[in-house]
């Protein structure tokens, strides 16, 4: 619960506003590092003598570990606090960044890119940090700014790193450009640690009772949680399938089968951890005051699957879509497609702000309906359209996508304060699950069908939203001394 009564002033760099600015900068750097590879693909391919399939594999490895990493980092954040975990992540992930910058062959590059996927989990840390500093009536706006401005790190990488590589010059220019992002990450890790605190002075940082798994507060929610974990493992199995002989043949059939078996064993280990943490709900009911509904988490997971999942997938295919549909040069197509990502600067904060003003559920319903219509419109785009109209359609669609992301994370911190990192981790992981599913669909169908599939999942999200209960009044947390603290999550 924030005790900071300072006004919301974006141009201030004190109190809670300082925390917000430093946190979006940390997130910006994680995305700058995570996506430092995409704009330099051609240079890396030529320098290391890689095949197209090897480049595609590096792109897959870059995002694959982010699914389990977001869940794990969310748990660590709740237990040890965002200050320590964000700083550690920035410092530790500079190492694989430097490893990739000096890689001499595909194997070295693959190991470095796989490890660098960990930095993609940084997002969930700041969600908990911001929720500690801002009251419920400003939380959507603050989380939207954090998410939208931080997310822009990927666009900044696309615009600046090729120029930096050319500026350093020579065959190794790309190495210096990527190495420089690692330096930023390393230095900012120390800056963040020395500049922030987990909570405002006098506030309590509530921690989960255990680290092993997410707490639930009813028998039904126990089984619901186990069900909602399955898509995360299924997405990793889907990635393995894409790399197997059935896909791009970069894994042998035996290797793929070993991964499938490993994922099944991991899931059952996960089930045992969930049981260990939650077996008491089968012996005695949790007092009403301390209950929360896991259904709220599940609905937000589905919505983030459709919003952030589609954004990750569409950002990676849109330049090619414009290039092939309108016969544009790759450079022009890239610039035109970047309009979609640019919307992040305003759309995501906008979604959070609307959510603060008009309520979480009405905002999510309107934005999800707009999302479905936006992708239906994109499915109609073909070569008979003027290019400018196709760009307007893409920007309109991205407004609903990114505003929807902002509205989802305006609701996440209001469910259970001590578990905000874990809930954000699971919801964030569902975004990556969505990206894997949509990109797999794209490899099997044409562009129009791809957009229609996303529109269909948005409709499904809209239906699940009808069962969503907006947080009301207050939630209860227990301090270390055993006292109960009530935290406002909505207008009384």
């Amino acid at each position: 619960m924030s005790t900071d009564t300072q006004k919301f002033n974006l141009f201030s760099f004190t109190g809670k506003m300082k925390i917000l600015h430093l946190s979006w900068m940390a997130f910006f750097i994680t995305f700058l590092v995570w996506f430092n590879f995409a704009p330099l693909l051609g240079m890396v391919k030529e320098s290391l003598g890689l095949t197209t399939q090897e480049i595609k594999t590096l792109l897959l490895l870059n995002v694959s570990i982010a699914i389990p990493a977001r869940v794990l980092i969310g748990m660590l954040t709740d237990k040890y606090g965002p200050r320590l975990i964000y700083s550690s992540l920035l410092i530790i992930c500079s190492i694989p960044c430097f490893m990739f910058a000096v890689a001499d062959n595909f194997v070295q590059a693959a190991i470095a890119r796989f490890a660098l996927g960990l930095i993609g989990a940084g997002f969930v840390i700041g969600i908990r940090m911001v929720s500690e500093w801002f009251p419920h009536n400003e939380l959507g706006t603050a989380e939207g700014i954090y998410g939208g401005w931080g997310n822009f790190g990927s666009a900044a990488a696309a615009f600046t790193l090729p120029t930096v590589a050319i500026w350093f010059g020579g065959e190794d220019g790309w190495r210096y450009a990527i190495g420089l992002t690692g330096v930023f990450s390393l230095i900012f890790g120390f800056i963040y640690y020395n500049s922030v605190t987990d909570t405002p002075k006098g506030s309590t940082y509530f921690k989960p009772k255990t680290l092993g798994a997410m707490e639930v507060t009813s028998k039904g929610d126990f089984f619901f949680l186990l069900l909602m974990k399955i898509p995360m493992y299924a997405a990793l199995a889907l990635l393995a399938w894409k790399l197997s002989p059935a896909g791009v043949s970069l894994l042998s059939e035996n290797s793929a089968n070993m991964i499938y078996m490993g994922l099944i064993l991991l899931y059952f280990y996960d089930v045992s951890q969930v049981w260990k943490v939650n077996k008491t709900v089968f012996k005695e009911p949790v007092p009403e005051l301390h209950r929360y509904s896991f259904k709220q988490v599940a609905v937000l997971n589905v919505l983030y699957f459709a919003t952030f999942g589609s954004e990750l997938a569409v950002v990676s295919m849109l330049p090619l879509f414009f290039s092939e549909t309108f016969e544009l040069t790759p450079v022009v197509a890239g610039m035109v497609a970047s309009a979609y990502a640019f919307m992040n600067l305003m759309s995501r904060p906008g979604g959070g702000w609307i959510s603060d003003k008009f309520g979480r559920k009405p905002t999510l319903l309107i934005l999800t309906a707009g999302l479905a219509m936006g992708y239906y419109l994109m499915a109609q785009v073909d070569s008979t359209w003027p290019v400018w109209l196709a760009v307007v359609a893409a920007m309109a669609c991205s407004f609903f996508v990114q505003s929807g992301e902002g509205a989802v994370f305006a609701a996440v911190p209001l469910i259970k304060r001590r578990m905000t990192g874990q809930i954000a981790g699971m919801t964030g992981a569902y975004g990556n699950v969505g990206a894997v599913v949509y990109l797999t669909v794209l490899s099997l169908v044409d562009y129009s069908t791809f957009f229609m599939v996303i529109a269909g999942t948005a409709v499904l999200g809209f239906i699940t939203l009808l069962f969503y209960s907006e947080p009301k009044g207050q939630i209860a947390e227990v301090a270390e001394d055993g006292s109960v603290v009530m935290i406002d999550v909505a207008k009384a």
Side-chain angles (χ1 to χ4, degrees):
M1 179 173 57
S2 170
T3 55
D4 193 324
T5 55
Q6 174 192 9
K7 280 187 177 177
F8 197 103
N9 175 10
L10 264 184
F11 300 103
S12 168
F13 203 81
T14 58
K16 65 186 179 187
M17 301 311 298
K18 175 186 173 186
I19 300 297
L20 176 59
H21 287 306
L22 287 170
S23 295
W24 76 252
M25 286 174 196
F27 179 34
F28 180 95
I29 289 171
T30 66
F31 260 48
L32 181 74
V33 172
W34 197 20
F35 292 102
N36 61 15
F37 172 44
L40 303 170
L41 282 178
M43 296 180 199
V44 175
K45 186 180 178 185
E46 194 178 329
S47 178
L48 299 183
L50 304 179
T51 65
T52 301
Q53 291 294 6
E54 285 172 336
I55 284 287
K56 284 183 178 175
T57 305
L58 291 180
L59 285 169
L60 271 175
L61 288 171
N62 199 43
V63 297
S64 57
I65 203 175
I67 295 172
R70 285 187 161 192
V71 175
L72 176 66
I73 292 293
M75 287 180 176
L76 292 172
T77 300
D78 286 341
K79 184 75 175 171
Y80 299 108
R83 174 186 178 228
L84 176 65
I85 300 302
Y86 227 151
S87 306
S88 302
L89 186 79
L90 287 164
I91 292 164
I92 291 166
C93 286
S94 68
I95 298 167
C97 186
F98 296 139
M99 280 170 57
F100 185 76
V102 298
D104 283 329
N105 55 55
F106 171 67
V107 174
Q108 290 175 8
I111 293 168
R113 269 343 291 187
F114 182 70
L116 257 182
L118 184 64
I119 207 166
F123 166 67
V124 305
I125 309 172
I127 292 295
R128 174 80 200 245
M129 177 63 99
V130 172
S131 75
E132 292 291 336
W133 281 83
F134 286 83
H136 67 88
N137 59 316
E138 294 176 351
L139 195 54
T141 310
E143 297 285 17
I145 289 166
Y146 166 73
W149 293 9
N151 223 354
F152 198 68
S154 58
F159 277 93
T160 61
L161 293 185
T163 308
V164 172
I166 291 165
W167 184 64
F168 276 110
E171 192 183 285
D172 290 334
W174 69 270
R175 296 183 187 275
Y176 291 107
I178 281 175
L180 190 62
T181 64
V183 171
F184 290 153
S185 187
L186 180 64
I187 292 171
F188 200 79
F190 289 103
I191 291 172
Y192 196 77
Y193 187 81
N194 288 303
S195 305
V196 304
T197 56
D198 287 331
T199 62
K201 197 172 179 181
S203 291
T204 304
Y205 188 80
F206 297 103
K207 299 179 181 182
K209 293 168 191 167
T210 52
L211 189 61
M214 189 183 286
E215 293 169 40
V216 290
T217 53
S218 72
K219 294 175 193 174
D221 283 355
F222 175 86
F223 295 107
F224 201 177
L225 172 59
L226 297 185
L227 181 68
M228 290 301 290
K229 280 179 173 284
I230 292 172
M232 294 190 281
Y233 289 90
L236 293 170
L238 194 57
L239 276 169
W241 175 78
K242 280 183 79 172
L243 297 175
S244 75
V248 294
S249 296
L250 285 158
L251 283 176
S252 68
E253 200 162 324
N254 282 343
S255 300
N257 288 335
M258 281 174 69
I259 291 171
Y260 300 144
M261 186 55 65
L263 288 170
I264 291 167
L265 292 173
L266 261 177
Y267 176 73
F268 283 112
Y269 172 75
D270 204 351
V271 170
S272 74
Q273 291 298 105
V274 174
W275 169 253
K276 202 166 147 187
V277 169
N278 294 296
K279 58 187 175 187
T280 52
V281 300
F282 288 89
K283 294 173 187 168
E284 53 185 289
V286 175
E288 191 67 39
L289 182 68
H290 297 294
R291 286 189 191 181
Y292 81 96
S293 172
F294 182 75
K295 181 176 69 178
Q296 292 178 303
V297 181
V299 170
L300 295 175
N301 289 350
V302 172
L303 294 178
Y304 211 60
F305 178 105
T307 53
F308 189 64
S310 69
E311 182 183 352
L312 278 182
V314 171
V315 162
S316 59
M317 59 72 73
L318 212 54
L320 194 62
F321 170 73
F322 275 113
S323 175
E324 291 182 4
T325 306
F326 299 105
E327 296 179 355
L328 306 175
T329 65
V331 172
V332 174
M335 287 175 70
V336 167
S338 70
Y340 185 97
F342 253 105
M343 293 294 286
N344 252 317
L345 284 172
M346 293 307 297
S347 300
R348 198 156 177 159
W353 179 82
I354 295 165
S355 189
D356 282 342
K357 294 292 176 192
F358 302 106
R360 313 301 176 195
K361 187 171 180 176
T363 302
L364 284 166
L365 281 167
I366 292 164
L367 294 175
T368 308
L371 178 79
M373 289 187 281
Y375 279 117
Y376 175 78
L377 184 65
M378 288 296 291
Q380 314 308 312
V381 174
D382 59 28
S383 57
T384 62
W385 283 47
V387 176
W388 68 266
L389 191 57
V391 173
V392 169
M395 289 177 76
C397 183
S398 78
F399 168 78
F400 287 105
V401 171
Q402 292 152 7
S403 296
E405 292 162 12
V408 165
F409 274 93
V412 162
L414 304 177
I415 298 170
K416 204 69 181 156
R417 175 60 60 86
R418 70 175 179 271
M419 291 160 47
T420 296
Q422 291 179 69
I423 295 167
M426 189 174 191
T427 302
Y430 257 80
N432 288 72
V433 171
V436 171
V437 171
Y438 292 139
L439 286 170
T440 305
V441 168
L442 180 63
S443 66
L444 304 171
V445 300
D446 61 20
Y447 292 127
S448 180
T449 309
F450 165 74
F451 289 126
M452 286 300 284
V453 167
I454 302 177
T457 55
V459 171
L460 185 67
F462 185 89
I463 294 166
T464 62
L465 251 177
L466 299 174
F467 300 96
Y468 174 73
S469 309
E470 185 167 341
K472 288 191 170 65
Q474 297 176 311
I475 52 173
E477 288 293 2
V478 181
E480 285 182 5
D481 62 4
S483 60
V484 176
V485 179
M486 302 304 292
I487 300 169
D488 292 332
V489 295
K491 289 174 188 169

